[in-house]
Amino acid sequence: MLLEIQDVRGGYGHGDVVKGVSCSADSGEILCLLGPNGCGKTTLFRLLLGTIPLTDGTICIGGQDTRQLSARELAGLIAYIPQYHNPIFAYTVMDVVIMGRASHFSVFDAPKSVDREAAFAALEKVNALELANQKYTSLSGGQRQLILIARAICQAAKVFVMDEPAANLDYANQQLLMDVIVDLAQKGYCVVLSTHSPEHPASVGSKVLLMREGKVEGFGPPAQVLTSENLEAVYGIEMDVVTVQDRYGTRRTICLPVKKPRQ
């Protein structure tokens, strides 16, 4: 198993926000974190990335305990893709992607031809090669997400952590982004993403981690975890989970908030 999280606890110095979370994901899998605001999704990401320390438990990537790794070694295993990124300077897309190679050379080194080749290859993987010479600040939200994914690919990490990657995108770009994420998993990457939409794990997830108040409410395949009972327990509202068939015959799962009509 590439990513193993065992009984992890941690927070910000005033008690644990994440309270005994265990889950796992392998190469080629998409692990979706789902739950209401304040349930601990972002804190779990920070524990994963090593930006805040564990109170207890272990996180292993490729069999290596992340607490035993240097920042450079950890960057070679896990990459963070933020929800939104707005740089101060008008870097070109190529410059932004090459920044993913920072862990591969020292602060005083200039990028080499091998770094530029890696950047071109990363852009090609997300079908954004034509954007290489454009200013990053001129791109749409959907295009920026693609470039941030390319930067993570250029980092040569095995695990991608995405914090609500579709939050600022319109509906069409959300679907395009989900297609890219599925493609990344098919290429062998392990993707861990948080979302507020139950349809995302239902449509693209290999596994879903359902959280409430820092604890695990459910973990496993979406079909087993995304039940009306579990979603109602987490969100505190009535919900139906229905399966429909689209025009091409593909079965789709939809999660619907419902309310009993007044008499």
Side-chain angles (χ1 to χ4, degrees):
M1 192 65 63
L2 179 59
L3 174 65
E4 297 177 279
I5 299 171
Q6 294 291 334
D7 198 25
V8 161
R9 300 173 182 270
Y12 304 94
H14 302 287
D16 292 337
V17 176
V18 172
K19 304 168 184 177
V21 169
S22 296
C23 61
S24 61
D26 212 347
S27 301
E29 292 186 334
I30 301 171
L31 169 61
C32 297
L33 274 60
L34 187 67
N37 289 334
C39 72
K41 300 188 298 293
T42 299
T43 302
L44 181 58
F45 279 171
R46 290 176 177 169
L47 293 167
L48 260 175
L49 295 163
T51 57
I52 59 174
L54 298 177
T55 301
D56 201 1
T58 58
I59 298 173
C60 292
I61 303 176
Q64 301 181 78
D65 189 327
T66 56
R67 288 174 296 186
Q68 308 302 319
L69 302 174
S70 67
R72 183 182 290 266
E73 289 171 331
L74 188 59
L77 295 174
I78 189 167
Y80 175 61
I81 300 167
Q83 179 186 126
Y84 186 74
H85 177 239
N86 190 19
I88 298 174
F89 301 107
Y91 295 109
T92 67
V93 164
M94 179 57 69
D95 289 335
V96 172
V97 177
I98 286 179
M99 288 176 190
R101 299 286 294 174
S103 63
H104 296 265
F105 48 80
S106 75
V107 68
F108 299 109
D109 287 341
K112 301 177 177 64
S113 59
V114 65
D115 302 310
R116 293 186 64 82
E117 290 170 5
F120 277 120
L123 284 169
E124 192 169 21
K125 283 184 178 179
V126 297
N127 298 313
L129 197 55
E130 73 280 0
L131 301 176
N133 295 317
Q134 292 192 30
K135 296 294 184 183
Y136 178 76
T137 49
S138 72
L139 303 182
S140 68
Q143 289 173 324
R144 288 191 187 189
Q145 278 299 123
L146 292 181
I147 301 315
L148 293 175
I149 292 172
R151 184 178 68 176
I153 293 172
C154 202
Q155 189 174 321
K158 299 177 180 179
V159 179
F160 291 169
V161 172
M162 301 183 178
D163 191 2
E164 297 182 30
N168 295 309
L169 303 181
D170 61 45
Y171 192 73
N173 276 308
Q174 285 188 34
Q175 303 312 304
L176 291 172
L177 178 63
M178 290 301 124
D179 288 343
V180 170
I181 290 171
V182 169
D183 187 56
L184 288 173
Q186 290 173 346
K187 288 182 168 68
Y189 294 101
C190 175
V191 181
V192 184
L193 67 89
S194 62
T195 179
H196 280 299
S197 173
E199 277 75 25
H200 290 157
S203 61
V204 307
S206 309
K207 298 175 179 177
V208 57
L209 176 68
L210 191 59
M211 295 182 66
R212 180 178 65 166
E213 298 178 353
K215 299 179 181 179
V216 175
E217 191 70 25
F219 170 66
Q224 295 179 14
V225 176
L226 298 179
T227 65
S228 295
E229 294 77 14
N230 284 345
L231 292 173
E232 287 175 13
V234 165
Y235 290 105
I237 59 173
E238 291 183 288
M239 296 189 74
D240 281 347
V241 179
V242 298
T243 301
V244 299
Q245 189 169 294
D246 67 20
R247 67 180 68 179
Y248 300 110
T250 301
R251 293 172 65 82
R252 308 287 292 273
T253 298
I254 301 173
C255 304
L256 301 169
V258 295
K259 184 180 290 187
K260 185 178 180 179
R262 295 180 179 179
Q263 299 297 327

